[in-house]
PDB file of all heavy atoms in Angstrom:
ATOM      1  N   LEU A 106      18.305  13.197  13.826  1.00 85.00           N
ATOM      2  CA  LEU A 106      19.464  12.349  13.568  1.00 85.00           C
ATOM      3  C   LEU A 106      19.282  11.545  12.280  1.00 85.00           C
ATOM      4  O   LEU A 106      20.195  11.456  11.455  1.00 85.00           O
ATOM      5  CB  LEU A 106      19.690  11.405  14.752  1.00 85.00           C
ATOM      6  CG  LEU A 106      20.929  10.536  14.701  1.00 85.00           C
ATOM      7  CD1 LEU A 106      22.178  11.394  14.814  1.00 85.00           C
ATOM      8  CD2 LEU A 106      20.889   9.513  15.813  1.00 85.00           C
ATOM      9  N   ILE A 107      18.123  10.991  12.065  1.00 86.00           N
ATOM     10  CA  ILE A 107      17.860  10.209  10.856  1.00 86.00           C
ATOM     11  C   ILE A 107      17.835  11.113   9.627  1.00 86.00           C
ATOM     12  O   ILE A 107      18.338  10.747   8.562  1.00 86.00           O
ATOM     13  CB  ILE A 107      16.557   9.410  11.016  1.00 86.00           C
ATOM     14  CG1 ILE A 107      16.769   8.313  12.059  1.00 86.00           C
ATOM     15  CG2 ILE A 107      16.104   8.809   9.701  1.00 86.00           C
ATOM     16  CD1 ILE A 107      15.521   7.608  12.479  1.00 86.00           C
ATOM     17  N   TYR A 108      17.274  12.319   9.776  1.00 85.00           N
ATOM     18  CA  TYR A 108      17.241  13.239   8.636  1.00 85.00           C
ATOM     19  C   TYR A 108      18.644  13.618   8.173  1.00 85.00           C
ATOM     20  O   TYR A 108      18.859  13.859   6.991  1.00 85.00           O
ATOM     21  CB  TYR A 108      16.442  14.493   8.978  1.00 85.00           C
ATOM     22  CG  TYR A 108      16.268  15.393   7.785  1.00 85.00           C
ATOM     23  CD1 TYR A 108      15.277  15.137   6.857  1.00 85.00           C
ATOM     24  CD2 TYR A 108      17.123  16.457   7.551  1.00 85.00           C
ATOM     25  CE1 TYR A 108      15.132  15.930   5.735  1.00 85.00           C
ATOM     26  CE2 TYR A 108      16.983  17.249   6.436  1.00 85.00           C
ATOM     27  CZ  TYR A 108      15.989  16.982   5.535  1.00 85.00           C
ATOM     28  OH  TYR A 108      15.847  17.748   4.416  1.00 85.00           O
ATOM     29  N   MET A 109      19.594  13.642   9.087  1.00 84.00           N
ATOM     30  CA  MET A 109      20.965  13.985   8.713  1.00 84.00           C
ATOM     31  C   MET A 109      21.496  13.027   7.644  1.00 84.00           C
ATOM     32  O   MET A 109      22.224  13.436   6.745  1.00 84.00           O
ATOM     33  CB  MET A 109      21.866  13.934   9.948  1.00 84.00           C
ATOM     34  CG  MET A 109      23.311  14.230   9.661  1.00 84.00           C
ATOM     35  SD  MET A 109      24.357  14.165  11.115  1.00 84.00           S
ATOM     36  CE  MET A 109      24.420  12.419  11.432  1.00 84.00           C
ATOM     37  N   PHE A 110      21.109  11.756   7.697  1.00 85.00           N
ATOM     38  CA  PHE A 110      21.600  10.775   6.733  1.00 85.00           C
ATOM     39  C   PHE A 110      20.813  10.786   5.431  1.00 85.00           C
ATOM     40  O   PHE A 110      21.372  10.580   4.365  1.00 85.00           O
ATOM     41  CB  PHE A 110      21.559   9.364   7.330  1.00 85.00           C
ATOM     42  CG  PHE A 110      22.533   9.182   8.454  1.00 85.00           C
ATOM     43  CD1 PHE A 110      22.101   9.200   9.762  1.00 85.00           C
ATOM     44  CD2 PHE A 110      23.879   9.015   8.196  1.00 85.00           C
ATOM     45  CE1 PHE A 110      22.992   9.044  10.799  1.00 85.00           C
ATOM     46  CE2 PHE A 110      24.779   8.853   9.224  1.00 85.00           C
ATOM     47  CZ  PHE A 110      24.332   8.876  10.535  1.00 85.00           C
ATOM     48  N   PHE A 111      19.505  11.005   5.494  1.00 83.00           N
ATOM     49  CA  PHE A 111      18.660  10.836   4.322  1.00 83.00           C
ATOM     50  C   PHE A 111      18.145  12.142   3.721  1.00 83.00           C
ATOM     51  O   PHE A 111      17.581  12.129   2.642  1.00 83.00           O
ATOM     52  CB  PHE A 111      17.455   9.950   4.663  1.00 83.00           C
ATOM     53  CG  PHE A 111      17.852   8.564   5.050  1.00 83.00           C
ATOM     54  CD1 PHE A 111      17.816   8.157   6.365  1.00 83.00           C
ATOM     55  CD2 PHE A 111      18.280   7.668   4.090  1.00 83.00           C
ATOM     56  CE1 PHE A 111      18.186   6.880   6.720  1.00 83.00           C
ATOM     57  CE2 PHE A 111      18.655   6.382   4.432  1.00 83.00           C
ATOM     58  CZ  PHE A 111      18.598   5.990   5.759  1.00 83.00           C
ATOM     59  N   GLY A 112      18.308  13.266   4.410  1.00 81.00           N
ATOM     60  CA  GLY A 112      17.783  14.537   3.921  1.00 81.00           C
ATOM     61  C   GLY A 112      18.802  15.320   3.132  1.00 81.00           C
ATOM     62  O   GLY A 112      20.001  15.066   3.195  1.00 81.00           O
ATOM     63  N   THR A 113      18.317  16.316   2.382  1.00 77.00           N
ATOM     64  CA  THR A 113      19.212  17.111   1.543  1.00 77.00           C
ATOM     65  C   THR A 113      19.163  18.599   1.848  1.00 77.00           C
ATOM     66  O   THR A 113      19.962  19.355   1.316  1.00 77.00           O
ATOM     67  CB  THR A 113      18.870  16.911   0.059  1.00 77.00           C
ATOM     68  OG1 THR A 113      17.514  17.262  -0.148  1.00 77.00           O
ATOM     69  CG2 THR A 113      19.114  15.484  -0.367  1.00 77.00           C
ATOM     70  N   SER A 114      18.231  19.067   2.661  1.00 76.00           N
ATOM     71  CA  SER A 114      18.113  20.496   2.910  1.00 76.00           C
ATOM     72  C   SER A 114      19.010  20.924   4.065  1.00 76.00           C
ATOM     73  O   SER A 114      19.068  20.276   5.099  1.00 76.00           O
ATOM     74  CB  SER A 114      16.662  20.862   3.237  1.00 76.00           C
ATOM     75  OG  SER A 114      16.575  22.242   3.532  1.00 76.00           O
ATOM     76  N   GLN A 115      19.693  22.050   3.872  1.00 72.00           N
ATOM     77  CA  GLN A 115      20.526  22.595   4.942  1.00 72.00           C
ATOM     78  C   GLN A 115      19.722  23.478   5.887  1.00 72.00           C
ATOM     79  O   GLN A 115      20.148  23.750   6.996  1.00 72.00           O
ATOM     80  CB  GLN A 115      21.658  23.422   4.351  1.00 72.00           C
ATOM     81  CG  GLN A 115      22.598  22.640   3.481  1.00 72.00           C
ATOM     82  CD  GLN A 115      23.634  23.550   2.826  1.00 72.00           C
ATOM     83  OE1 GLN A 115      23.695  24.738   3.094  1.00 72.00           O
ATOM     84  NE2 GLN A 115      24.442  22.982   1.956  1.00 72.00           N
ATOM     85  N   HIS A 116      18.569  23.938   5.445  1.00 73.00           N
ATOM     86  CA  HIS A 116      17.806  24.939   6.193  1.00 73.00           C
ATOM     87  C   HIS A 116      16.446  24.376   6.558  1.00 73.00           C
ATOM     88  O   HIS A 116      15.428  24.816   6.035  1.00 73.00           O
ATOM     89  CB  HIS A 116      17.655  26.207   5.364  1.00 73.00           C
ATOM     90  CG  HIS A 116      18.948  26.694   4.788  1.00 73.00           C
ATOM     91  ND1 HIS A 116      19.928  27.255   5.558  1.00 73.00           N
ATOM     92  CD2 HIS A 116      19.446  26.657   3.528  1.00 73.00           C
ATOM     93  CE1 HIS A 116      20.958  27.572   4.797  1.00 73.00           C
ATOM     94  NE2 HIS A 116      20.689  27.217   3.562  1.00 73.00           N
ATOM     95  N   ILE A 117      16.421  23.409   7.453  1.00 75.00           N
ATOM     96  CA  ILE A 117      15.155  22.790   7.826  1.00 75.00           C
ATOM     97  C   ILE A 117      15.200  22.437   9.306  1.00 75.00           C
ATOM     98  O   ILE A 117      16.248  22.126   9.855  1.00 75.00           O
ATOM     99  CB  ILE A 117      14.879  21.536   6.960  1.00 75.00           C
ATOM    100  CG1 ILE A 117      13.452  21.068   7.144  1.00 75.00           C
ATOM    101  CG2 ILE A 117      15.847  20.427   7.256  1.00 75.00           C
ATOM    102  CD1 ILE A 117      13.019  20.033   6.138  1.00 75.00           C
ATOM    103  N   SER A 118      14.071  22.524   9.937  1.00 70.00           N
ATOM    104  CA  SER A 118      13.921  22.117  11.320  1.00 70.00           C
ATOM    105  C   SER A 118      13.011  20.895  11.349  1.00 70.00           C
ATOM    106  O   SER A 118      11.834  20.973  11.010  1.00 70.00           O
ATOM    107  CB  SER A 118      13.314  23.262  12.141  1.00 70.00           C
ATOM    108  OG  SER A 118      13.064  22.832  13.449  1.00 70.00           O
TER     109      SER A 118
END
Side-chain angles (χ1 to χ4, degrees):
L106 185 67
I107 291 170
Y108 186 82
M109 178 180 72
F110 293 102
F111 297 105
T113 57
S114 178
Q115 298 175 5
H116 310 289
I117 192 168
S118 175

